[in-house]
Amino acid sequence: MSIDKELIKSKIHSKEDISLKTITDIVAYNISESPENMGPESNFLAATEAVSQYISENFKDIDTFKTRLSQLDKGMKSINQFAETVYNHYQDKQILSFEIVKNMISKVKDVSLKMITDIVAYKIYQSPDDKGPELNFISAETFVAQYISENFKNIREFRRCLTDLGKGSYALESFADLVYKYYCQKKSN
């Protein structure tokens, strides 16, 4: 038997439980700083859903949740730790779509994605497919968004892949190479 999600949501909205409200506020802030930013009200609603979902899936009642929270470090540190856990859980469930990735690149919400796109655009510039800076970038943006949305469930999975490829610019260049070879060299063969 798990806690009813609606009960948790009502405790958050009524501010009856200050720790739940604070955790939700921190998760909402993390969402606002991410590519999934939907505006203050929507971020808070998404955070409320994420917190209530996480607690209802992982605790049998509010007292069990409170006990777990008190077992973490004391005070704000425990609240921050718990909020981080909920946010990571939320991020893992966010599916990357072509539009989300394209938006992350065009609005430079993820510097790694923007740099990878720039590298792919430069590779196109150096190839026989060069169509000028603007069209090269649009093509690169499309290729990167398509590749990432088809091969990664969420942004954390993509970041793990970059880490596996190496450090800094080497990882970005290696990933850009993958994308370029997959889309540009594939069509010329």
Side-chain angles (χ1 to χ4, degrees), residues 20-34 43-44 46-51 79-80 82-88 90-91:
L20 274 176
K21 172 75 169 86
T22 306
I23 289 166
T24 305
D25 288 342
I26 293 168
V27 173
Y29 174 76
N30 287 337
I31 293 170
S32 76
E33 293 293 305
S34 77
N43 292 343
F44 184 77
T48 301
E49 184 64 33
V51 170
I79 288 173
N80 281 324
F82 194 83
E84 190 66 30
T85 300
V86 172
Y87 179 68
N88 288 339
Y90 167 84
Q91 257 195 328

Side-chain angles (χ1 to χ4, degrees), residues 119-120 123-124 143 147 173-189:
I119 295 166
V120 173
K123 288 178 177 293
I124 294 170
F143 297 152
Y147 189 85
E173 288 173 26
S174 297
F175 195 87
D177 246 7
L178 288 171
V179 173
Y180 178 77
K181 287 176 181 170
Y182 186 79
Y183 288 103
C184 299
Q185 289 182 340
K186 181 168 96 172
K187 71 178 183 176
S188 60
N189 289 338

